Amino acid sequence: MTSIASTQFETRLQWQGKQRGRLYTEQAAAVSLGDMERGRAPPDLWAPEELLVAAVEGRTLMAFLEQAQARGIEVLFYQSSALGRRVELPGHAPRITDLIVRPLVAVRGEADAEQVLSIFETLASELFPSSILRLTPRIEPVVELWDSQRLPESGPASPSPPTWRPDTVSPYGS
């Protein structure tokens, strides 16, 4: 007999007036949502599109770490940024045209670096088949080799939040 694994994700959303809502789940802090104004969510609010980009970025991290651990790769550092592009054409519903995750990973040796790149080569299509998203995210990794002189004496580097670089040049234009 074939066994099928099933996981249920449940959230609750409560309208807060105007174009705002509050998203809840049993396991985590609530998230405040707001519709985009002038191309961005209002301060202190997440646009639903930002949550989609964050979900893709977060799932990429978790799947990468799982595969790296299975292959015995010592990950010294991981940080990423992600970009989603929403296009609105007159007379058409808005759509997401790009989902790009840019991980920066540090490992000790060239063999591990090659394995990291090999994981990322297939990760997007494995994680996000067309049955889940019509757009397969693109993953653009950067892998660095770190030797023991680059590491702090206390062990692996502590991750810090990515720096927001709104002037980052994209091969796809603005």
Side-chain angles (χ1 to χ4, degrees):
M1 177 181 237
T2 302
S3 173
I4 298 175
S6 174
T7 305
Q8 181 171 302
F9 303 95
E10 187 173 339
T11 61
R12 295 180 313 280
L13 182 62
Q14 183 177 17
W15 176 53
Q16 301 286 299
K18 297 185 182 182
Q19 296 294 102
R20 296 170 185 244
R22 191 127 170 106
L23 184 64
Y24 300 89
T25 183
E26 293 292 322
Q27 310 75 259
V31 174
S32 295
L33 300 175
D35 203 5
M36 294 192 318
E37 299 170 0
R38 294 176 299 284
R40 301 209 71 65
D44 299 327
L45 300 177
W46 286 71
E49 293 84 354
E50 290 172 318
L51 289 174
L52 173 63
V53 173
V56 168
E57 184 176 20
R59 178 50 41 214
T60 298
L61 166 65
M62 297 305 149
F64 166 74
L65 291 174
E66 181 180 301
Q67 288 193 30
Q69 182 180 17
R71 294 182 188 200
I73 299 169
E74 181 184 8
V75 176
L76 303 174
F77 180 83
Y78 182 107
Q79 180 173 295
S80 65
S81 64
L83 174 133
R85 183 168 288 114
R86 176 180 145 156
V87 174
E88 297 181 45
L89 296 170
H92 294 79
R95 60 181 225 145
I96 303 291
T97 60
D98 291 293
L99 278 172
I100 303 167
V101 179
R102 294 184 176 111
L104 169 61
V105 180
V107 295
R108 286 193 195 277
E110 288 184 39
D112 283 350
E114 289 175 17
Q115 285 195 67
V116 166
L117 289 172
S118 127
I119 290 170
F120 283 122
E121 281 178 14
T122 58
L123 199 62
S125 61
E126 290 172 4
L127 285 176
F128 307 104
S130 61
S131 61
I132 292 177
L133 288 174
R134 280 207 242 155
L135 172 67
T136 300
R138 193 169 67 239
I139 301 174
E140 300 175 343
V142 173
V143 181
E144 295 182 346
L145 301 180
W146 285 10
D147 59 19
S148 58
Q149 286 134 7
R150 175 109 188 236
L151 290 174
E153 288 183 27
S154 61
S158 298
S160 58
T163 303
W164 175 250
R165 296 176 293 161
D167 58 343
T168 300
V169 177
S170 167
Y172 302 98
S174 301

